[in-house]
Amino acid sequence: MVVVVILGIVAAAVMPDFTSTNDIKLDNAANEIALALRFAQSEAIKTKIPHGIDIDTTNDRLRVYRLPATAPVYDVYHPVDKKLYDLQLKTDATIGDVDVLSASFVFGTYTSSTTLEFSADGVPKYTSAGADAMLTSGAITLGLQGQQREIRIAPMTGRVTIQ
């Protein structure tokens, strides 16, 4: 009887904690998206060409683009792996199963759920008919099995925080 109890205790101690695995995946996904936002902003400042992100909540995908004229060009490369900056949450092993629950970028009277641009000065904005509208609030919400992380983008500075 004592041996069975000891084996039960040992088995319970070595069982993996799936909650912590989900926390890690969710944190990794939030960090990857925050890095993509920061990268787009820094590239806009460095190249003096507006850059932005395009979020597809249906397919849980984020792409970084540059905006040399009126149409986005998706030829921005990830600084580490040198592949196109195209983050697909469902197929990446370290962040798989994480869902993009929502994205909301408010620019005064205009709201976008798919794109956020940074001006050549790194300021988050939206341009329509040649007029810029500054970001008033921005957030991306991620979820995994009932847990959530929110990535916020600050107006004017574009500072990215994870909550």
Side-chain angles (χ1 to χ4, degrees):
M1 186 72 128
V2 172
V3 171
V4 171
V5 169
I6 291 173
L7 287 174
I9 292 171
V10 170
V14 297
M15 284 184 61
D17 183 4
F18 293 108
T19 303
S20 65
T21 302
N22 289 342
D23 283 342
I24 291 169
K25 283 185 176 184
L26 200 51
D27 289 340
N28 286 344
N31 286 327
E32 283 292 329
I33 290 174
L35 287 172
L37 286 160
R38 292 176 185 131
F39 180 73
Q41 184 182 36
S42 68
E43 284 297 294
I45 294 168
K46 182 175 84 175
T47 64
K48 298 297 182 200
I49 297 171
H51 279 64
I53 60 157
D54 181 11
I55 298 178
D56 180 353
T57 56
T58 304
N59 297 308
D60 301 310
R61 179 181 188 191
L62 178 142
R63 296 185 297 167
V64 176
Y65 64 86
R66 63 187 178 90
L67 194 62
T70 57
V73 178
Y74 295 93
D75 64 354
V76 178
Y77 290 87
H78 193 283
V80 177
D81 65 14
K82 307 299 183 207
K83 296 179 182 174
L84 285 176
Y85 213 129
D86 186 354
L87 180 61
Q88 298 187 30
L89 277 67
K90 292 295 183 192
T91 58
D92 189 305
T94 60
I95 57 177
D97 301 326
V98 174
D99 294 314
V100 179
L101 300 178
S102 67
S104 176
F105 309 111
V106 179
F107 307 91
T109 59
Y110 176 76
T111 300
S112 173
S113 61
T114 58
T115 59
L116 174 66
E117 297 169 5
F118 294 96
S119 70
D121 297 327
V123 177
K125 66 164 184 83
Y126 172 77
T127 303
S128 177
D132 287 344
M134 296 300 142
L135 182 73
T136 55
S137 70
I140 301 167
T141 305
L142 305 177
L144 178 63
Q145 296 181 354
Q147 298 176 5
Q148 292 185 354
R149 297 290 183 279
E150 186 174 74
I151 301 124
R152 291 190 182 182
I153 302 90
M156 295 304 297
T157 63
R159 182 173 183 246
V160 178
T161 56
I162 300 171
Q163 301 185 343

